[in-house]
C-alpha cells in the first residue's frame, strides 16, 4: 500500500469539491434556480451557459447548462475514482 502524501489529499479534496459543485448545479437545474437557468452576463468568465446566453441568446441556455452540469459531474467522478484507485 503506497504512502499517502499531501498531493493525494489535495487531489481528493479538489475532486470532491468538483462533485459537490456539479451535484449542486444539477439540483439547481431541476429546481429552476434563476442564476443557473438564466445566468447574468457578468458570470461569463466562470459559467459557460452565460457565454451561450450572450452569443446565441437565452433559448439555448438550459440545454448547455444541463450539458455543463452533467459533464462536470462525470469528469469529477472519473477523477475521484482514479485517485481513489491509485490510493488503494
Amino acid at each position: 500500500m503506497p504512502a499517502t502524501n499531501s498531493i493525494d489529499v489535495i487531489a481528493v479534496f479538489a475532486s470532491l469539491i468538483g462533485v459537490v459543485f456539479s451535484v449542486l448545479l444539477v439540483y439547481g437545474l431541476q429546481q429552476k434556480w434563476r442564476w443557473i437557468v438564466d445566468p447574468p452576463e457578468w458570470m461569463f468568465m466562470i459559467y459557460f451557459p452565460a457565454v451561450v446566453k450572450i452569443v446565441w441568446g437565452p433559448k439555448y441556455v438550459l440545454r448547455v447548462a444541463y450539458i455543463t452540469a452533467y459533464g462536470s459531474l462525470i469528469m469529477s467522478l472519473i477523477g475521484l475514482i482514479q485517485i481513489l484507485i491509485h490510493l488503494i
Side-chain angles (χ1 to χ4, degrees), residues 1 16 25 43 64 78-79:
M1 177 181 232
L16 285 175
L25 279 177
M43 291 180 70
V64 173
I78 288 171

Side-chain angles (χ1 to χ4, degrees), residues 21-31 36 66 69-70 73:
F21 181 71
S22 301
V23 169
L24 181 67
L25 279 177
V26 170
Y27 179 75
L29 282 168
Q30 291 175 352
Q31 296 296 317
I36 296 177
Y66 271 108
Y70 282 112
L73 180 62

Side-chain angles (χ1 to χ4, degrees), residues 30-43:
Q30 291 175 352
Q31 296 296 317
K32 304 287 187 210
W33 289 350
R34 185 167 184 235
W35 69 273
I36 296 177
V37 297
D38 185 27
E41 285 81 15
W42 63 264
M43 291 180 70

